[in-house]
């Protein structure tokens, strides 16, 4: 069966890096790309470059740490489509790699607000549009440092990187991915670790 409907994707943090490259590649395949960007100026610049390359792209101002911004983003996407085929929760914060001896709650909270609460906010807001798609998918952009097997392996450099925020946030994101997948069997949830090339 051939689906003649244009596939749609929302990518958070898509104005640079991995998010922008995902937008470019999917756009080149003919997808309609909703380019989420916290910084509207940088987002506009990225969207214009993609559009100049023939990609069907819509800039979506989106700060995943803000309930109001996420709600406005959902309303904007809904004006362009009645479904969302793929959501890529890519926006991330690395924190400052503060040693646990100096790590206060504020440091950890700031990273969790983007890396953990952000994907919850966005996934929750876009669930109805995802559920309206035939084969919806959600990709959580995680990291190997969120795996206990990696951070406890003395052969891995990250085992000597003593910080609390980033690694624990990615471990939490991995668990969120599993729990969402269990709760929504009609949506494919995956955690992806970007590979170094």
């Amino acid at each position: 069966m051939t689906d003649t409907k244009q596939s749609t994707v929302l990518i958070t943090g898509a104005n640079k890096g991995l998010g922008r490259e995902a937008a470019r590649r999917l756009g080149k395949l003919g997808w309609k790309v909703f380019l989420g960007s916290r910084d509207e100026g940088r987002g506009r610049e990225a969207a214009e470059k993609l559009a100049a390359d023939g990609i069907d792209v819509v800039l979506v101002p989106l700060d995943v740490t803000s309930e109001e911004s996420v709600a406005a983003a959902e309303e904007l996407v809904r004006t362009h489509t009645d479904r969302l085929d793929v959501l890529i929760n890519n926006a991330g914060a690395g924190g400052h790699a503060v040693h646990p001896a100096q790590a206060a709650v504020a440091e950890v909270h700031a990273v969790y607000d983007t890396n953990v609460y952000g994907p919850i906010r966005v996934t929750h807001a876009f669930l109805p549009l995802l559920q309206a798609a035939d084969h919806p998918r959600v990709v959580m952009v995680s990291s190997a440092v969120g795996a206990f097997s990696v951070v406890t392996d003395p052969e891995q450099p990250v085992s000597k990187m003593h910080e609390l925020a980033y690694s624990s946030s990615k471990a939490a994101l991995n668990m969120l991915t599993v729990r969402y997948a269990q709760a929504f069997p009609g949506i494919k949830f995956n955690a992806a670790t970007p590979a170094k090339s």
Side-chain angles (χ1 to χ4, degrees):
M1 180 192 296
T2 303
D3 185 359
T4 57
K5 294 186 293 188
Q6 184 181 26
S7 295
T8 56
V9 59
L10 168 65
I11 308 170
T12 67
N15 60 291
K16 61 182 180 179
L18 179 69
R20 183 169 167 179
E21 181 61 14
R24 187 187 70 78
R25 290 188 185 198
L26 291 173
K28 281 295 189 182
L29 293 174
W31 288 48
K32 184 176 196 72
V33 175
F34 295 100
L35 188 147
S37 177
R38 181 181 61 181
D39 184 312
E40 197 167 340
R42 289 181 183 175
R44 185 174 296 106
E45 183 181 333
E48 287 172 356
K49 286 181 179 176
L50 291 171
D53 209 16
I55 291 169
D56 186 358
V57 58
V58 176
L59 171 62
V60 180
L62 177 53
D63 177 354
V64 302
T65 69
S66 164
E67 297 281 353
E68 294 77 15
S69 178
V70 171
E74 191 274 342
E75 288 180 16
L76 175 59
V77 170
R78 195 175 280 280
T79 65
H80 291 272
T81 184
D82 59 357
R83 72 188 198 292
L84 187 63
D85 295 295
V86 176
L87 167 62
I88 302 177
N89 282 305
N90 170 67
H96 303 101
V98 176
H99 189 281
Q102 284 81 44
V105 168
E107 161 72 12
V108 177
H109 177 73
V111 174
Y112 270 59
D113 205 16
T114 299
N115 296 358
V116 180
Y117 310 140
I120 293 173
R121 287 185 190 100
V122 176
T123 302
H124 178 78
F126 284 90
L127 268 174
L129 283 173
L130 286 162
Q131 290 171 319
D134 292 334
H135 306 288
R137 292 172 171 11
V138 176
V139 178
M140 306 289 199
V141 177
S142 188
S143 169
V145 303
F148 288 88
S149 59
V150 172
V151 297
T152 58
D153 180 354
E155 299 299 315
Q156 297 288 337
V158 73
S159 69
K160 296 162 187 67
M161 186 180 83
H162 304 297
E163 60 82 45
L164 294 180
Y166 185 74
S167 56
S168 67
S169 75
K170 292 303 185 177
L173 183 63
N174 292 344
M175 181 58 75
L176 286 178
T177 307
V178 172
R179 300 306 273 171
Y180 273 125
Q182 292 170 330
F184 296 98
I187 302 175
K188 289 198 174 184
F189 282 85
N190 291 288
T193 300
K196 291 183 180 178
S197 55

